[in-house]
Amino acid sequence: MKVKVVCRKLYDYIRYDLKEIAFPSSLPDPPHIKKCRKLTWHERFLVLKEASRLYTASWVRDIGPDLRPNDYKKDDGIKGKSHGDKSRSTEIEPSTLEDIAIAARGGMETLRPALQRLYMTRASAYRDALKSFIEGYQEGIQQIMEKKEDSSKAHQEGNTDKNST
């Protein structure tokens, strides 16, 4: 009888628990999440076509309005009227992604300094964010401590008033 129970428990462990340990199942989606419908083959083709067009266009140094007309619709009127000839004379600084793409074409010697610049700017941004978080946290703690001190003083004063009467 005991052997049967041990064998059943071992079988259940292997069948249910070990499978869950080795290959854990993901948690179900929360109830407020709506599942997106699957794309049709035609829609997949259109997405692939647009993505490949943008990918090939990304290898060009300046992505102009002919490649991304939707992004330049708002800027056309503003740029022409407010900046005028000034926008043509000033050179636009390349983005980080463009800088890395250009450096990658040059090989490892040019890629390493570009990546170091990227990591240093990210590290300084994280450091600044952490400093501001710590300062805000300390200010919050100071405010809470001041409130506690004020409430304890008011409580003590209330007790001394009651004791004196």
Side-chain angles (χ1 to χ4, degrees):
M1 184 71 172
K2 290 183 181 181
V3 174
K4 244 184 188 180
V5 172
V6 169
C7 287
R8 191 186 74 229
K9 290 196 181 254
L10 184 65
Y11 175 75
D12 287 344
Y13 176 77
I14 291 172
R15 185 172 177 197
Y16 299 110
D17 299 335
L18 189 64
K19 182 178 81 171
E20 190 64 30
I21 291 170
F23 306 105
S25 60
S26 62
L27 294 173
D29 287 334
H32 66 279
I33 300 293
K34 293 181 181 176
K35 297 213 178 215
C36 296
R37 67 175 183 84
K38 290 189 176 184
L39 297 176
T40 63
W41 284 104
H42 181 68
E43 291 170 334
R44 288 181 189 177
F45 173 73
L46 294 176
V47 168
L48 180 64
K49 183 178 167 184
E50 180 69 15
S52 61
R53 185 184 69 80
L54 289 174
Y55 175 73
T56 54
S58 71
W59 288 99
V60 178
R61 175 102 173 119
D62 182 30
I63 298 176
D66 54 328
L67 297 174
R68 289 197 169 174
N70 296 334
D71 294 345
Y72 285 86
K73 283 182 182 175
K74 298 174 186 172
D75 294 340
D76 285 342
I78 297 169
K79 205 173 200 180
K81 292 178 184 175
S82 63
H83 296 313
D85 293 332
K86 292 179 184 176
S87 64
R88 294 180 192 143
S89 62
T90 58
E91 196 166 317
I92 299 171
E93 185 177 324
S95 69
T96 307
L97 186 61
E98 291 173 345
D99 190 24
I100 290 176
I102 292 168
R105 289 186 202 144
M108 196 61 190
E109 295 81 23
T110 57
L111 185 60
R112 182 170 288 146
L115 288 175
Q116 285 176 344
R117 277 194 308 276
L118 173 70
Y119 290 135
M120 292 305 290
T121 55
R122 291 184 93 181
S124 66
Y126 288 138
R127 186 184 64 234
D128 295 342
L130 188 61
K131 280 183 182 178
S132 66
F133 172 77
I134 290 171
E135 289 172 1
Y137 189 79
Q138 288 173 344
E139 288 175 7
I141 289 176
Q142 286 175 353
Q143 289 175 356
I144 290 173
M145 295 303 286
E146 288 172 0
K147 286 180 183 177
K148 281 187 178 181
E149 288 174 4
D150 291 343
S151 65
S152 66
K153 285 180 183 177
H155 183 67
Q156 287 175 357
E157 288 174 2
N159 287 339
T160 55
D161 289 342
K162 289 179 185 177
N163 292 338
S164 64
T165 55

